[in-house]
Amino acid sequence: MTHPYIRFRVRLARHAVAQLAARLRSSAEIVMFVLGPPILGLIAFAALPPMLAAAEPLPLALPLLCLHGAAMSVPVVLLRSRVVPAHVCAWLYPLPVPSGLLLRASAAVAALLTGPLALTYAASLAVWLYQRPDWLMPPRAVAGTVLSFLLTWACATALLVRGAGLPQRTTLTSADTVAATHPAAPRAGGFYLWRQLFWLPLWRGNAAGARQCALLVAAVGASALWMMGPQALPRVAGAILTSILLVLLAHEADQALRTRLARVRVLAAGWPIDVAALARRARAMTWLTVAPAPAALAAIGVAAGAWHGTAGHLYLALAWGAPPVLMLTPPFTARGRMALVAFAIVLLCATGSKLWD
């Protein structure tokens, strides 16, 4: 019989996933309507990295598979604060939960979170095993994909054990309360105000900063894979993945900025500062934090000789112009905002797919 603690952790994770799905439902409808075929194509290529790694000689294949398995567990870092909330963790920590029980519960939650990845790998494997390209080694491809998934599951379990097994440091007052009680002095300068009111809150009490870092690294990695990737990876798939990550990075940064601005406007209502100028400065600094992604794409593209012709120039202009447009456009409604994000993704995908023609 399953232990009550394991059932509680799994039920808590299901509730968190259901909440997240409810928040993203309206966005997912637009994304699937606009990007349905490209997303289905990306699912077909989900198992391609471990299959390519497994085709290499064993001394090279094993490190590549380990690296891929660990990298695929990064989303669990972003979901950990939802499946193991800080207030629940503080309540669970004093309980006499054995380490073995904590490990089994975390493994069950990790299996719940990585289950969709396993189904995606299975569908991708079925497609590639049916096509049987010349480079494919079916037994090693299946074994490599299974090994990569098991490593992802193990890393996710370790991350959840750490998240649920350590006490969470809490403070008596929130950052917003402290800021309202002791507002920063205007003489400190705009950079100081931006750092205290916008940058530091990204890393205190939420995962917004970690999500933006993960998207930035993923966008740079996708850009390198698109420009310098193996011949077995279609250029169109690299263009789609890079375009989606670039727009999602700008959207995530913009969402965090707008959420923080709404709080700062309330707190700074009685401060002797120009809130509008502070908002403009915050938007400019947010754009600078996003800029490394298109800058890396531009540099990698120059090395690969990609920016020639009308399509190359247009894609580069769109990659640099999409983040400012998203940050300067009014929020409209949730559906309107996601329609704008989907339009930006479609425009980049359509232009990027013509880059190598």
Side-chain angles (χ1 to χ4, degrees), residues 78-130:
L78 309 180
L79 292 173
R80 186 172 60 179
S81 60
R82 292 182 176 273
V83 299
V84 191
H87 64 281
V88 175
C89 188
W91 174 72
L92 289 174
Y93 180 70
L95 299 180
V97 179
S99 57
L101 181 60
L102 176 63
L103 178 62
R104 294 198 302 273
S106 299
V109 175
L112 175 67
L113 297 179
T114 57
L117 180 63
L119 295 177
T120 305
Y121 280 169
S124 180
L125 272 175
V127 171
W128 287 98
L129 290 176
Y130 175 77

Side-chain angles (χ1 to χ4, degrees), residues 175-254:
D176 290 343
T177 305
V178 173
T181 308
H182 306 285
R187 64 177 180 275
F191 180 78
Y192 177 81
L193 288 176
W194 170 79
R195 180 178 180 273
Q196 296 296 118
L197 296 176
F198 294 95
W199 177 252
L200 292 181
L202 290 176
W203 308 95
R204 292 175 177 172
N206 59 67
R211 285 197 299 269
Q212 292 184 35
C213 283
L215 285 172
L216 177 61
V217 173
V220 174
S223 301
L225 193 64
W226 178 23
M227 299 294 175
M228 307 288 189
Q231 295 296 326
L233 179 66
R235 296 283 191 179
V236 175
I240 293 172
L241 183 60
T242 303
S243 302
I244 291 174
L245 289 172
L246 283 174
V247 177
L248 288 183
L249 172 62
H251 175 63
E252 176 66 29
D254 177 64

Side-chain angles (χ1 to χ4, degrees), residues 26-105:
S26 60
S27 304
E29 292 174 357
I30 296 174
V31 172
M32 288 303 298
F33 177 76
V34 177
L35 299 175
I39 290 177
L40 292 177
L42 289 176
I43 290 176
F45 288 98
L48 185 60
M51 287 191 296
L52 288 173
E56 299 293 333
L58 197 59
L60 179 60
L62 288 178
L64 288 176
L65 289 172
C66 292
L67 182 62
H68 180 265
M72 294 303 294
S73 67
V74 170
V76 177
V77 179
L78 309 180
L79 292 173
R80 186 172 60 179
S81 60
R82 292 182 176 273
V83 299
V84 191
H87 64 281
V88 175
C89 188
W91 174 72
L92 289 174
Y93 180 70
L95 299 180
V97 179
S99 57
L101 181 60
L102 176 63
L103 178 62
R104 294 198 302 273

Side-chain angles (χ1 to χ4, degrees), residues 72 80 99 127 131-133 135 166 223 237 246 253 265 286 348:
M72 294 303 294
R80 186 172 60 179
S99 57
V127 171
Q131 292 184 349
R132 292 289 182 96
W135 56 267
L166 294 177
S223 301
L246 283 174
R265 284 193 175 99
T286 301
L348 279 169

